[in-house]
Amino acid sequence: MASDAEKPIPRATYRVQLRAEFGFDRTAEIADYMARLGVSHLYASPYMKARPGSTHGYDIVDHNALNPELGDEAAFHNMVAALKRNGLGQVLDFVPNHMGVGGSDNGWWLDVLEWGPDSRFAGYFDIEWEPDRRYLQGKVLVPLLGDQFGAVLESGALELKFDKDAGSFAVWAYGTHKLPVRPIDYGSVLGADHPELERIGDAFAHLGYVHPHQIRRAEALKAELAALVAERPDVAEAVERRLNRYRGEEGEPESWNRLTDLIARQNWRAAYFKVAADDINYRRFFNINELAGLRMEEPELFDVAHRFVLGLVDDGTLDGLRIDHIDGLYDPKGYCRRLVGAASRPFYLVVEKILARHERLREDWPIDGTTGYEFANLLGGLFVNPDGEESFTRLYRDFTGRRESFEEVVRTSKIRIMESEMASELHVLAREASRIARTNPRTADFTANILHQALKEIIARFPVYRTYVDGNHVDGSAPSDLDRRDIDWAISQARRVEQGPDQSVYDFLHRLLTTDLVAEPRSGYSRQQVTRFAMKLQQYSGPVMAKGLEDTAFYRYNRLVALNEVGGHPEHFGVGPTAFHRANQERATRWPGAMLGTTTHDTKRGEDTRARLYALSEMPEEWERQIQTWSRLLRARRGDVEGTAPPDRNDEYLFYQLLLGAWPAELTGADPASLDPQAMGEFAERITGAMTKSMREAKVHSTWAAPNEAYESAMIGFVHDALDVTRSNAFFDAFLPFQATVARIGMLNGLSQALLKLTSPGVPDIYQGCELWNFSLVDPDNRRPVDYTARRRLLEEVEGADIASLLDRWQDGAVKLALTHRTLRLRADKRDLFASGDYAPLEATGGRSEHVVAFARTLGDDAVVVATPRLIGRLGDNPDWGDTSVPLPRGQRWRDILTGKTVEASGAITAATLFRDFPAALLVREG
C-alpha cells in the first residue's frame, strides 16, 4: 500500500516483550533509553488481558481490557506519557485470530460451555456443532485432562463446586479449569431436600418455558440463589450436602456415577488431551488446545474485539498495529480492509505473513508490508557461501546417515501432522467435501474416505502456507492467477502419487478449491457451500504448513540450522548480492513501510547465533574434521566406541551447531582450565532446554505428547559430558580454538548484518537487547531478561568512542551498540532519504568483488553509501582487498558516520580504503 503522507510510518522500532516482571512501569523506565538509542517507536508485545501467568501475551481472554499482570490503567497511561515525553510513538502486536481458553478467565468461552449453541457468543468461536462424532453433537470437546477421563474422575480431580457469589455451579478440573454446568441441570443438583432449593431448582429445570429469554431468566435465578445462600445458613448447608452427593470414593467406581451422569448432560465433553487429534471440533491456533480460533469475519465480533484497540489508534496512543497470524483468518484481505476503514485516522499496519520463495505479498491488501521474516532470511543468505553447498550436503549425509531431500522431509512431516495432531480437522473437511459432492449426480460417488486421501496429498504438496480464494467471481476474476498457480501445482504433484485416488477425484477437488464449481449459474452446487469449503481449507493448510515445516521439518533437517528460520528455505544455500539488491529495490518501490527484522520472539536462533553459523558454510572441510574429532572424543568418554548409542548422529550434529552458535562471547578464547563451573552449568541448561525442545518438535525419538525419557536423558547426558569442567576434558581443547575462529567471523557477519538492516528500504526493528550481541536459542531462551542498566552504561561510553578501538573488546557488544546508535542517529537526521529515497546497487569490481555488498540511498542532493564485507572467513584475519573497489554516486568528499573520518573520493573508492579502519562503512556525501 502506498504510504499516506499523514500516516505515522515509524523510522525504527524497538520490540519489547512485556511480562509480569517487565510490565508498563518497567517499559516506561526505558523510554528515554530507547529514544537515546535512536528508534522512533516502541513495538510492544500484546498487552490485552491474557491468561494468568502468560509469558507472551498471545493467549488473550479479553480484547477490551489491559493485562493486570503488566500493571493497572494508571501504569499504562504513565507508560504512554513517558513514551510521548521522549518523542516515541507506539506500535502494538494485536491478536485477532484466537483467544486463550481453559482456566476460568475467558467469559465468552465459559458462556459457550454453559449454554452451548444457544450462547450469545457461540458464533464468535469457530465450533463445529454437528460433527460426525455422535457423542459430540451440540457439544464442545474440552481436551484438558492429563489422563483418561475415568482415571481423572476417580482421582477426584473433577469436582462439582458452587460459586456462592454468582449462585452458579461448575465442574472444576484440577481446581483450575472451570466447566460451567447447564442451568437447566441445577434442579437435579439442588434436589428436593430443602423446600427453597426445591422451588428454585424447579424454576431452573423449566427454563425452556421462557425461551428465548432463558439466559436472562437464569441470571436472575442465580442471583436469587446466591442471595438465599448468603442470607440463610440452612440453605448454604443444604447446598453443601447436595455437593457431597457428587463426591465419590477412590476405588469405588460406582460412587462417581452421579457426577458422571451430570457431566454427560453438559454442553462440553471433558477429555484426555490426546483425544483432540481425532475429535477436536473447534478451530485452534495450530494444534494448541488452549487457543481457540475466532470467526473474526463476523461483523459483530470484529466490532466488539476491536473496540479498545481502535480507541487507542483514534486517540493517538497507537501509531500502528502488527497483526498476528494473518493467515489464520477466514478472509485476510477483508479483515485488513475492515480494520483500516474502522479507524478514524491513518495508521501503520503490518502483518505477520510467511512468504514462500516464489510468493509475493498481495498488493490489493491495504497494508504497509510484513513483519520481516523474509528479510531476515534474505539478509542472512548473503553470508552463506553457495560454493560450499555440495561439500556441506555430503558431510551432513556422511555424518548423520540421512539422505532425504528437504522437500521430502517437509512432505512427510506435513503428512504426519495431518495423520496425528491435526487429523480431526482433515476429517471434517473430507466429510464436508463429500456432502458437496453428493449434491450433484456427477460427483455423488466421491466418498469421504477417497476425498480424505486426495486432500491429504494435495495439502502435503502445497507450495505456500495458504491461498486467498474468496469465491468472488466477477467476470471470471476469481481466483487470482497467483492462487490458481499454487493450487494447480499442488494438485498436479498429488496426481503423481502411486496407487492414489482416481484422477477424477482430483478434477473435482481442483474445481472445488478454486470455486470453479460455481463459476457459472445453475452449476448444481451451492455457492455458499463451495466457497465456505475453499476458504476453510485455506485456514487448515496454513497451520499444517507451519507445524509440518517450522515445527517438524526444521528440527529434522539440520544441514545448516542457521537457514532453518521462520520464513526460511533451508534447501536454498546462500543469496547473492544481485538477489539482495533486487529484493531491496522491489521493497523500496512497493512496500517502503515493511518491517525489517533479524530477531523476533519467534526466531529459532538469535541473529548473532546465526551470524556465527553462516561462517561454517565457508569452511565445510574444516567443519567436518572438527565434528568427527569432537564425536570421537565425547563418545569414547561415554564408552560408545562404535558410535551407535543414543543420541543419534542427527541430534548430535545439531548439538555441535548450537554449541558454536550460542557459546557465550565472554568465554570465547578462554583457557579450558579457567572456565567457570557456574557459568558453564547455566549454559548447559540453556543448551539442554533447546535440545529437548528440538527432539520433541522433530518427533523422531520423542514428542511433547509422549516424551521418551530414556532417549532424552541420553542426549542431556551427552550435553553435560561435553560441558563438564569439573574434570579434565579433551573436548574443550579441541573445541575452543575452533569456536574462537568462528566467533570472530560471526562478529564481523553480525556487524555487517546490523548495518544492512538499519539502512535497507523499510522500517528496521531491534528486538529487545539486540543492540548488543544476541546469541539466543529457541524460545523461551530468546525471551530472557535484558540488562538495561548495562546497556545504558555502554551507550554513554560509546557515544564519543573510537569505534575501531571497540573491536579489541568486541565480546562486550559495545561495537555493535556503537554501530547501531550511529546508524539510527543518521536515520533520524535523514529521515526522508531513508523513508522514500532511491535505492541504487553499487556493484563492486576487482578480484575480491564477490566479498563486498554495497548500495546507495539518494534523495535530491543527499546521498548515503553503505558497504560491508561478506564471506569474510575465506579472506583471513587481515584481508588483502587488492584492486577491489566500489563505485560512488556523484560527490568528492565523504564522511564515514561510523568512524567519523573523511575521505576524498570521486567515482569509486577502493575496498581497502572503505574497510581500513573498520569492517563496514556508512558514508555521507559532504561535497
Side-chain angles (χ1 to χ4, degrees):
M1 179 174 64
S3 296
D4 189 313
E6 300 178 2
K7 185 181 296 185
I9 304 290
R11 186 175 69 247
T13 59
Y14 191 92
R15 170 75 178 209
V16 173
Q17 294 294 118
L18 284 84
R19 57 193 187 284
E21 301 80 16
F22 201 99
F24 300 136
D25 286 341
R26 292 290 302 278
T27 304
E29 291 173 4
I30 66 168
D32 63 324
Y33 168 78
M34 290 187 286
R36 189 172 178 182
L37 181 64
V39 302
S40 63
H41 284 71
L42 164 70
Y43 169 25
S45 64
Y47 51 57
M48 277 59 181
K49 185 179 180 181
R51 291 187 63 187
S54 175
T55 59
H56 46 73
Y58 290 92
D59 44 0
I60 290 172
V61 297
D62 187 344
H63 286 87
N64 292 308
L66 295 169
N67 188 345
E69 294 186 357
L70 305 179
D72 58 16
E73 192 169 335
F76 174 73
H77 289 302
N78 177 61
M79 179 190 76
V80 173
L83 293 172
K84 291 187 175 181
R85 279 197 308 272
N86 286 279
L88 297 174
Q90 188 184 159
V91 176
L92 176 66
D93 194 341
F94 187 72
V95 188
N97 175 70
H98 53 266
M99 293 185 80
V101 297
S104 59
D105 305 281
N106 189 325
W108 293 354
W109 185 252
L110 293 176
D111 196 82
V112 170
L113 297 184
E114 183 174 10
W115 292 100
D118 291 333
S119 167
R120 72 199 85 174
F121 306 115
Y124 287 8
F125 296 96
D126 218 340
I127 299 170
E128 179 78 12
W129 291 106
E130 297 182 6
D132 56 354
R133 303 292 196 267
R134 293 181 62 84
Y135 80 95
L136 283 176
Q137 292 285 325
K139 296 178 183 286
V140 180
L141 185 75
V142 186
L144 49 76
L145 304 183
D147 201 345
Q148 303 291 337
F149 172 79
V152 176
L153 177 75
E154 293 176 28
S155 74
L158 293 173
E159 183 180 4
L160 179 65
K161 295 184 179 182
F162 176 68
D163 184 335
K164 60 183 179 59
D165 295 321
S168 62
F169 290 94
V171 175
W172 285 77
Y174 307 109
T176 301
H177 301 286
K178 182 179 180 181
L179 302 170
V181 170
R182 298 186 312 166
I184 200 171
D185 289 320
Y186 283 21
S188 62
V189 174
L190 294 171
D193 299 344
H194 190 287
E196 289 291 351
L197 295 186
E198 180 184 20
R199 175 186 62 79
I200 202 168
D202 185 56
F204 274 115
H206 293 88
L207 282 170
Y209 287 172
V210 295
H211 181 81
H213 307 296
Q214 66 269 34
I215 295 177
R216 187 171 60 206
R217 174 63 175 150
E219 293 306 310
L221 290 172
K222 289 178 188 177
E224 184 181 350
L225 178 59
L228 276 172
V229 169
E231 295 166 2
R232 297 191 39 188
D234 62 317
V235 174
E237 291 172 3
V239 170
E240 184 59 30
R241 287 195 300 271
R242 294 298 301 179
L243 290 175
N244 285 332
R245 292 168 60 86
Y246 290 85
R247 295 176 182 134
E249 295 292 334
E250 187 174 354
E252 297 181 18
E254 295 80 7
S255 66
W256 298 96
N257 287 349
R258 188 173 281 109
L259 181 58
T260 301
D261 292 342
L262 177 67
I263 289 174
R265 296 195 299 271
Q266 301 313 304
N267 294 311
W268 43 265
R269 197 275 194 185
Y272 187 23
F273 74 91
K274 292 183 179 181
V275 172
D278 292 324
D279 289 0
I280 196 77
N281 65 328
Y282 62 88
R283 184 173 64 86
R284 301 167 290 176
F285 172 72
F286 297 168
N287 62 343
I288 302 174
N289 299 333
E290 296 78 15
L291 296 176
L294 292 170
R295 298 178 65 198
M296 202 53 72
E297 67 274 12
E298 293 298 323
E300 178 187 335
L301 172 58
F302 178 93
D303 292 342
V304 171
H306 291 80
R307 184 172 60 237
F308 181 48
V309 73
L310 284 174
L312 296 178
V313 170
D314 292 344
D315 69 15
T317 298
L318 295 177
D319 283 335
L321 294 174
R322 178 260 198 194
I323 303 303
D324 180 68
H325 192 47
I326 190 73
D327 275 350
L329 299 176
Y330 186 71
D331 180 11
K333 178 174 70 175
Y335 170 82
C336 292
R337 288 180 171 175
R338 180 173 288 168
L339 183 62
V340 170
S344 65
R345 71 183 185 100
F347 65 97
Y348 178 63
L349 180 60
V350 291
V351 299
E352 183 198 26
K353 164 65 186 167
I354 299 173
L355 297 165
R357 282 194 66 219
H358 69 277
E359 189 178 10
R360 296 293 176 266
L361 189 60
R362 302 303 172 98
E363 295 190 45
D364 57 349
W365 292 12
I367 62 175
D368 293 291
T370 73
T371 54
Y373 293 143
E374 71 281 358
F375 177 79
N377 290 283
L378 172 79
L379 176 58
L382 279 174
F383 305 99
V384 175
N385 178 24
D387 294 339
E389 179 173 16
E390 184 177 345
S391 296
F392 227 86
T393 300
R394 179 195 54 75
L395 75 86
Y396 175 57
R397 289 176 175 173
D398 288 350
F399 188 85
T400 66
R402 297 181 67 94
R403 296 288 186 270
E404 313 100 313
S405 67
F406 181 67
E407 180 183 17
E408 180 61 18
V409 173
V410 173
R411 188 189 68 81
T412 57
S413 296
K414 290 173 72 175
I415 286 178
R416 188 202 182 283
I417 293 298
M418 288 186 282
E419 291 179 344
S420 53
E421 291 102 308
M422 301 189 71
S424 180
E425 292 89 339
L426 185 58
H427 285 304
V428 170
L429 285 169
R431 190 185 77 239
E432 184 59 29
S434 69
R435 286 175 177 170
I436 294 171
R438 288 196 301 272
T439 63
N440 192 305
R442 289 169 291 176
T443 54
D445 289 341
F446 294 148
T447 65
N449 181 56
I450 201 70
L451 289 167
H452 182 280
Q453 294 178 44
L455 284 169
K456 182 169 66 175
E457 295 297 343
I458 291 169
I459 295 169
R461 290 163 175 80
F462 243 69
V464 292
Y465 277 66
R466 62 165 288 172
T467 50
Y468 300 95
V469 174
D470 60 11
N472 183 26
H473 284 273
V474 179
D475 299 326
S477 63
S480 71
D481 290 341
L482 298 175
D483 290 329
R484 193 174 293 280
R485 173 197 62 190
D486 292 327
I487 294 170
D488 288 352
W489 167 264
I491 292 180
S492 68
Q493 296 301 304
R495 288 180 187 273
R496 300 179 182 180
V497 175
E498 294 183 5
Q499 298 180 340
D502 186 83
Q503 294 299 309
S504 62
V505 177
Y506 289 112
D507 293 339
F508 167 70
L509 288 175
H510 184 278
R511 300 185 67 211
L512 179 56
L513 299 188
T514 59
T515 67
D516 286 349
L517 276 178
V518 291
E520 301 295 334
R522 298 183 297 279
S523 65
Y525 298 96
S526 162
R527 181 179 299 277
Q528 291 292 323
Q529 278 188 307
V530 168
T531 300
R532 182 179 184 275
F533 178 87
M535 296 177 76
K536 296 296 289 183
L537 182 132
Q538 292 172 153
Q539 285 183 290
Y540 179 68
S541 68
V544 169
M545 176 72 95
K547 295 303 297 180
L549 176 67
E550 299 169 42
D551 292 346
T552 306
F554 276 6
Y555 292 97
R556 292 182 176 185
Y557 187 83
N558 296 323
R559 182 177 64 168
L560 180 61
V561 296
L563 304 180
N564 295 20
E565 201 46 80
V566 179
H569 313 287
E571 77 283 14
H572 188 64
F573 210 82
V575 173
T578 300
F580 176 74
H581 291 314
R582 188 186 310 117
N584 275 353
Q585 288 173 309
E586 181 176 332
R587 191 182 322 106
T589 301
R590 299 183 178 183
W591 305 104
M595 191 172 278
L596 309 178
T598 42
T599 299
T600 73
H601 62 286
D602 280 328
T603 44
K604 300 185 186 301
R605 260 71 60 175
E607 61 195 58
D608 298 304
T609 305
R610 301 195 309 272
R612 287 177 171 179
L613 297 178
Y614 298 145
L616 299 178
S617 70
E618 300 186 63
M619 53 181 83
E621 291 80 12
E622 180 61 23
W623 169 235
E624 183 173 26
R625 283 193 292 271
Q626 291 291 334
I627 58 176
Q628 294 288 5
T629 298
W630 302 343
S631 184
R632 283 196 301 271
L633 289 170
L634 290 174
R635 287 187 178 274
R637 183 172 182 170
R638 296 170 63 82
D640 179 24
V641 179
E642 298 296 324
T644 55
D648 78 9
R649 304 277 280 189
N650 198 37
D651 287 332
E652 180 185 357
Y653 183 81
L654 171 64
F655 164 61
Y656 295 141
Q657 292 185 73
L658 299 189
L659 203 60
L660 271 178
W663 186 264
E666 63 273 17
L667 299 181
T668 296
D671 185 298
S674 68
L675 293 173
D676 177 52
Q678 181 177 344
M680 291 306 298
E682 293 172 355
F683 181 58
E685 289 307 309
R686 290 179 56 208
I687 294 291
T688 57
M691 286 302 306
T692 299
K693 181 167 185 173
S694 299
M695 289 183 287
R696 293 179 182 179
E697 295 285 19
K699 307 169 190 70
V700 174
H701 298 291
S702 191
T703 66
W704 292 107
N708 183 335
E709 293 183 9
Y711 184 85
E712 290 184 4
S713 295
M715 182 73 250
I716 292 170
F718 195 91
V719 172
H720 283 288
D721 279 352
L723 300 179
D724 184 4
V725 295
T726 63
R727 53 178 175 163
S728 177
N729 193 336
F731 169 72
F732 283 131
D733 295 328
F735 172 79
L736 289 173
F738 183 70
Q739 188 278 327
T741 297
V742 170
R744 176 76 182 180
I745 300 170
M747 178 268 292
L748 297 172
N749 287 345
L751 293 176
S752 295
Q753 186 172 241
L755 180 59
L756 293 172
K757 176 182 74 173
L758 294 171
T759 53
S760 288
V763 177
D765 173 60
I766 299 170
Y767 182 72
Q768 59 179 26
C770 285
E771 60 273 30
L772 301 188
W773 303 121
N774 182 283
F775 300 116
S776 64
L777 299 167
V778 71
D779 71 279
D781 191 69
N782 59 13
R783 288 187 263 118
R784 287 176 296 149
V786 177
D787 185 349
Y788 284 106
T789 300
R791 282 162 174 77
R792 285 182 184 276
R793 175 180 54 77
L794 273 180
L795 184 57
E796 291 180 5
E797 185 179 340
V798 304
E799 282 189 315
D802 173 15
I803 196 170
S805 69
L806 300 178
L807 288 169
D808 295 331
R809 44 177 275 204
W810 67 264
Q811 290 89 341
D812 67 2
V815 64
K816 185 182 180 186
L817 178 62
L819 180 148
T820 300
H821 175 51
R822 293 174 193 187
T823 308
L824 286 173
R825 191 166 54 190
L826 179 66
R827 285 189 72 98
D829 292 343
K830 298 185 178 297
R831 175 165 185 156
D832 290 343
L833 179 144
F834 283 102
S836 57
D838 291 335
Y839 178 96
L842 301 176
E843 186 175 347
T845 59
R848 304 287 195 184
S849 60
E850 66 173 340
H851 295 277
V852 179
V853 58
F855 56 82
R857 305 297 307 275
T858 59
L859 182 67
D861 292 332
D862 253 350
V864 170
V865 170
V866 180
T868 71
R870 61 184 288 266
L871 307 182
I872 197 73
R874 296 158 62 190
L875 302 182
D877 292 338
N878 297 295
D880 177 6
W881 291 103
D883 63 346
T884 304
S885 65
V886 174
L888 292 174
R890 176 178 53 83
Q892 302 286 334
R893 188 156 49 93
W894 303 82
R895 180 167 58 88
D896 191 330
I897 295 298
L898 301 180
T899 64
K901 296 183 178 180
T902 300
V903 295
E904 301 287 339
S906 177
I909 185 170
T910 65
T913 301
L914 278 171
F915 306 136
R916 179 174 54 217
D917 300 309
F918 191 74
L922 180 59
L923 307 181
V924 175
R925 182 167 60 205
E926 292 195 332

